[in-house]
Amino acid sequence: MKLPKKLLLLAALLLPLILWLALGDKLAAILAEKFGPVLARVGDGKFTDPVSFVLGRINEAVFLFYITAAIIAAGLTLRGLIDRFYQNRAIRGLRDGILVFVGLNLLVLACGNTVLFWSLFYDKVHIDNFAQYHIKRKLFSEDTGRQRLVLLGNSQTNRSIDEKILNAKLGEKIWSTDLTQPGTRGFDMLILERDIPLRKGDWVISYLSEIVFYGAGSGIVPPKFLHFADLDDLIELGGWNKLSPGSVRSGIAGRLIPLFRYRESISQRVLSWEIMGIDQFRHDSTLVPDLELQGSQNASGLHLSPGATFEKASFMRMSDELAALGCKLIIVDGDVHPALEKNLSPAVRQDMDRFLADLKSRHPGNVIVTDAGLYLRPTADAFDDLVHFTDAAQIEFTENLVDFLKQTYNASVK
């Protein structure tokens, strides 16, 4: 007896759900046991429990299967409804184009919250920071049972603190993940803090030097992470004209059109990193190799300005939100290369000190400020450039920071 096509289709749709409900946990345990070492190597320290990791990816696969089926079904239904009223061939072409465009964007929007999707863009050598962020963000949301610590800031935070060392030495009690983004400044951190699935008791640590507040305006983070609610902060804090030209427009377009928001990651995967990184390569090739000369040339770019006031106000608002959530903000009062430090305006350093003191007094139970010099002397040989540590300096700094984090943790559990 031949079964009706609709019945076969229904069975095909229900089968993944039945298997997931009946065998999901067992399948995750079997796969984790068989491929545990491989998963640990590929995961590169981003998770600790292979079973939870595999189960999370099975859940994502089932979710994506049904969301894809729903989008296709909705598209076909709309296509049929439109056909009932319009028979013109030109209308049909426009109809199909719009349905495909909307369907792809809805699918990408759903995929954007899964590790499976972002793993397609993972490259251990030519790192896609946007893809890396989303992978770690999702895995961070799945981690439970331990004190959670988030590295939040720019590339200076990333190059100063090594999450792998933190997890190797503190992982049983404190689990750390790096959610930094290059070029991040005060307003950028406010945006990112709202995007991260933080919960009460989490720690956020940032390595802050003068470049975070007193340099050029934010512009890298908003195009990829801006939410509509952040526009109110831009207006209220007077930052609308303090961002790089076009960054707000790109951020709004990205929220409306997910394919536009993910365009750089998709292009980098399709066209290769070498092509997409041409502008960065050209910029790097123009840098003067003499750091002493760089320091004297770049120091004037760090100064008191309305832009600095906006960036500090944004960071202050972030600290308010973290305190309200019950999170602890750990600020490492950071250093720059001595060649830059000696050429900085004393007024900038004094303003930075006042700002950090205000943060501590505003939230004495939720904000901790510690001096980077306690963990590594900022000598010239500790830097690769004006702001980034060498690999050896990063290791030394992180290992020394571990004791401070242990003390902070022990004090918090007493």
Side-chain angles (χ1 to χ4, degrees), residues 98 100 105 109 116 123 140 161 169 194 197 241 244 344:
I98 293 174
V100 169
N105 275 281
L109 180 63
L116 287 177
D123 190 317
F140 174 74
I161 306 172
K169 295 182 176 293
R194 292 170 174 173
N241 297 321
S244 298
L344 284 177

Side-chain angles (χ1 to χ4, degrees), residues 6 11 40 77 160 234 239 250 254 270 298 340 352 357 380 384:
K6 290 185 177 180
T77 301
S160 300
L234 278 178
S250 294
V270 174
N298 294 327
L340 179 58
M352 180 88 164
D384 269 333

Side-chain angles (χ1 to χ4, degrees), residues 207-398:
Y207 187 102
L208 299 182
S209 70
E210 291 82 356
I211 66 171
V212 174
F213 302 119
Y214 303 97
S218 302
I220 295 178
V221 169
K224 297 177 180 178
F225 293 95
L226 188 75
H227 292 77
F228 293 117
D230 300 324
L231 299 177
D232 292 336
D233 298 277
L234 278 178
I235 296 171
E236 186 177 343
L237 299 177
W240 195 268
N241 297 321
K242 306 298 188 301
L243 305 185
S244 298
S247 59
V248 174
R249 183 174 62 250
S250 294
I252 294 172
R255 281 296 158 191
L256 294 172
I257 308 172
L259 278 172
F260 180 82
R261 185 183 176 211
Y262 301 157
R263 67 193 183 282
E264 289 187 14
S265 294
I266 295 171
S267 298
Q268 183 170 308
R269 175 54 67 196
V270 174
L271 300 176
S272 81
W273 180 88
E274 286 76 10
I275 293 177
M276 294 300 295
I278 287 177
D279 288 342
Q280 183 63 47
F281 175 78
R282 288 174 177 169
H283 169 74
D284 293 343
S285 65
T286 63
L287 294 177
V288 180
D290 185 344
L291 292 182
E292 289 291 332
L293 182 56
Q294 280 191 42
S296 62
Q297 291 177 339
N298 294 327
S300 60
L302 301 175
H303 54 271
L304 303 180
S305 66
T309 301
F310 163 66
E311 298 294 353
K312 290 185 295 179
S314 299
F315 190 89
M316 183 74 78
R317 179 158 295 185
M318 183 195 76
S319 73
D320 293 343
E321 293 182 1
L322 289 174
L325 189 59
C327 297
K328 189 181 298 294
L329 174 60
I330 301 172
I331 298 171
V332 180
D333 186 4
D335 299 302
V336 294
H337 191 284
L340 179 58
E341 179 70 33
K342 70 181 180 183
N343 287 288
L344 284 177
S345 165
V348 168
R349 183 66 252 179
Q350 293 167 7
D351 189 74
M352 180 88 164
D353 289 339
R354 283 194 297 269
F355 176 66
L356 296 181
D358 289 344
L359 279 171
K360 286 177 62 178
S361 62
R362 188 180 182 95
H363 302 294
N366 296 87
V367 174
I368 298 175
V369 178
T370 184
D371 187 355
L374 296 174
Y375 315 106
L376 179 74
R377 291 183 58 217
T379 55
D381 59 0
F383 290 86
D384 269 333
D385 52 38
L386 291 181
V387 295
H388 298 119
F389 283 159
T390 63
D391 290 343
Q394 181 193 42
I395 292 172
E396 181 180 349
F397 182 88
T398 306

Side-chain angles (χ1 to χ4, degrees), residues 47-75:
F47 62 89
T48 54
D49 183 4
V51 176
S52 296
F53 175 80
V54 173
L55 183 60
R57 307 301 66 80
I58 292 175
N59 293 342
E60 288 178 352
V62 173
F63 166 74
L64 291 178
F65 174 81
Y66 283 106
I67 201 71
T68 302
I71 290 172
I72 292 174

Side-chain angles (χ1 to χ4, degrees), residues 126-197:
H126 303 305
I127 295 175
D128 181 336
N129 291 291
F130 190 52
Q132 185 100 305
Y133 170 91
H134 283 284
I135 292 172
K136 291 184 175 182
R137 177 186 179 278
K138 180 62 176 178
L139 295 177
F140 174 74
S141 69
E142 295 175 357
D143 192 84
T144 58
R146 287 173 296 182
Q147 176 66 62
R148 304 193 307 174
L149 183 149
V150 175
L151 276 65
L152 180 61
N154 57 20
S155 58
Q156 197 175 20
T157 298
N158 171 268
R159 287 296 302 145
S160 300
I161 306 172
D162 189 334
E163 63 174 325
K164 294 181 183 178
I165 295 177
L166 294 184
N167 287 330
K169 295 182 176 293
L170 301 171
E172 292 185 2
K173 295 180 179 179
I174 304 173
W175 183 251
S176 305
T177 194
D178 183 347
L179 295 180
T180 59
Q181 287 291 296
T184 294
R185 306 192 65 223
F187 180 69
D188 302 322
M189 278 190 264
L190 175 63
I191 294 175
L192 291 172
E193 170 261 321
R194 292 170 174 173
D195 188 70
I196 298 170

